[in-house]
Amino acid sequence: MDRRRASAYARVGVAYPVVTVVAAAGLARLLGWSVGVAVLALSAFAAAAVVAVVASDTGGMRPPEADRGREHHRGFLGVGGAGGFLAGAAGGPATGAAAGRRARLRVYAVGLFVLTATLVLVLGGAVPGL
């Protein structure tokens, strides 16, 4: 892995989640809410994002023949096919910019989940008042 790619992974998978947690904690403190509950909610959101991204990448582990009858409806509704807003999610692997966005989202979601889950487990009962 080259240096540019490693720094991109570090930025998206570490720095952005840290900034997100600090912003959520600051906003919770500003609004008078519990910071611990805000971090717990952010952890639940990150877990849901990880599940959604993985399910989107794997197709929910459904066999390819399960979607044969639905292809016409997906194209008609604008969800699948080349012109749909989820291009690459319905039929085959995403290419180009869609694959890059999905990869960044996956790295960000996993980084955010690991950080928030660690904060909930380590600091949940150790820091009173949070």
Side-chain angles (χ1 to χ4, degrees), residues 41-118:
L42 195 58
S43 179
F45 170 76
V50 168
V51 168
V53 170
V54 169
S56 172
D57 285 347
T58 61
M61 302 301 288
R62 294 170 43 151
E65 59 272 1
D67 288 331
R68 282 192 188 143
R70 298 182 184 175
E71 290 301 320
H72 175 70
H73 297 292
R74 284 185 179 166
F76 176 73
L77 296 174
V79 176
F85 73 98
L86 291 176
T95 58
R101 271 180 279 169
R102 189 171 293 153
R104 284 191 303 272
L105 179 62
R106 181 176 43 249
V107 170
Y108 172 74
V110 168
L112 183 62
F113 176 71
V114 168
L115 177 64
T116 55
T118 302

Side-chain angles (χ1 to χ4, degrees), residues 1-29:
M1 182 181 305
D2 60 352
R3 183 178 294 189
R4 199 172 111 222
R5 180 173 275 180
S7 69
Y9 274 115
R11 182 179 67 242
V12 173
V14 177
Y16 290 171
V18 167
V19 169
T20 303
V21 169
V22 168
L27 182 65
R29 178 73 73 182

